[in-house]
Amino acid sequence: MIVRSGHIVFPKKVRYKDLARVLPDLMKLFLKESGQTPEDEALVRILIRTNVADLAANRKPEGYNRDNKLRLIFPIRKGGEVCLYIYRSSRSEEVARITEAISALLRHRGLPHKLEWDKMVLYHYKERRARRQEAPAPNA
């Protein structure tokens, strides 16, 4: 499957603090599978520590929002659902593969969730706009 974003949406009963116990493994899996593990192991520890601290306090964490090929984001959603998504600026099979690997980890650790694909509103808008501009002008 070639997608731009893979979304993991948790049921309303799941809170940020429920993710604190799995985030270290989730983050390491994301970095390894995406080939973005920093050479300095201290950076990974700091990244994980700050995200776990936010989760333990039941706050939305930063995730991995660096200027790299893939990002792991915890957005604020209407309805208050806890979710995260894996994002790449261009469509890729890699996004689906990594999202499914994280989903398997979460299932194994007992966290219910559902997967959604390409649910980013901005890109739906841009794609519709691009299609409109590509359409031939009507003959006058």
Side-chain angles (χ1 to χ4, degrees), residues 1-137:
M1 175 182 335
I2 299 175
V3 294
R4 178 176 281 137
S5 63
H7 305 256
I8 297 174
V9 181
F10 298 94
K12 287 192 182 248
K13 66 180 181 178
V14 174
R15 302 285 174 239
Y16 285 118
K17 64 183 175 183
D18 300 329
L19 301 178
R21 63 185 170 88
V22 300
L23 187 86
D25 292 336
L26 186 150
M27 191 67 71
K28 289 175 187 172
L29 176 65
F30 169 76
L31 292 171
K32 179 183 173 207
E33 291 293 320
S34 64
Q36 298 181 140
T37 304
E39 289 182 22
D40 186 357
E41 188 67 31
L43 291 175
V44 175
R45 286 193 306 272
I46 291 168
L47 177 67
I48 290 171
R49 189 177 336 133
T50 57
N51 279 283
V52 168
D54 285 337
L55 289 171
N58 206 34
R59 291 188 307 256
K60 182 184 92 57
E62 176 189 355
Y64 187 80
N65 194 11
R66 306 291 188 274
D67 193 19
N68 285 330
K69 64 179 180 172
L70 284 163
R71 297 176 182 197
L72 184 138
I73 308 288
F74 288 84
I76 297 173
R77 287 190 41 139
K78 291 180 181 176
E81 298 167 317
V82 172
C83 65
L84 62 96
Y85 65 85
I86 311 302
Y87 159 78
R88 184 175 177 152
S89 61
S90 60
R91 295 186 181 278
S92 166
E93 289 180 7
E94 186 177 31
V95 172
R97 180 181 57 77
I98 293 170
T99 303
E100 288 173 354
I102 290 173
S103 175
L105 171 73
L106 293 169
R107 272 194 311 275
H108 179 72
R109 300 291 289 275
L111 284 166
H113 61 279
K114 66 180 180 178
L115 293 180
E116 298 177 350
W117 306 101
D118 285 339
K119 292 291 184 179
M120 295 180 68
V121 175
L122 174 64
Y123 284 102
H124 285 290
Y125 171 76
K126 283 183 176 181
E127 287 173 0
R128 272 187 297 193
R129 190 170 166 207
R131 277 186 290 226
R132 244 184 295 146
Q133 291 175 352
E134 291 174 2

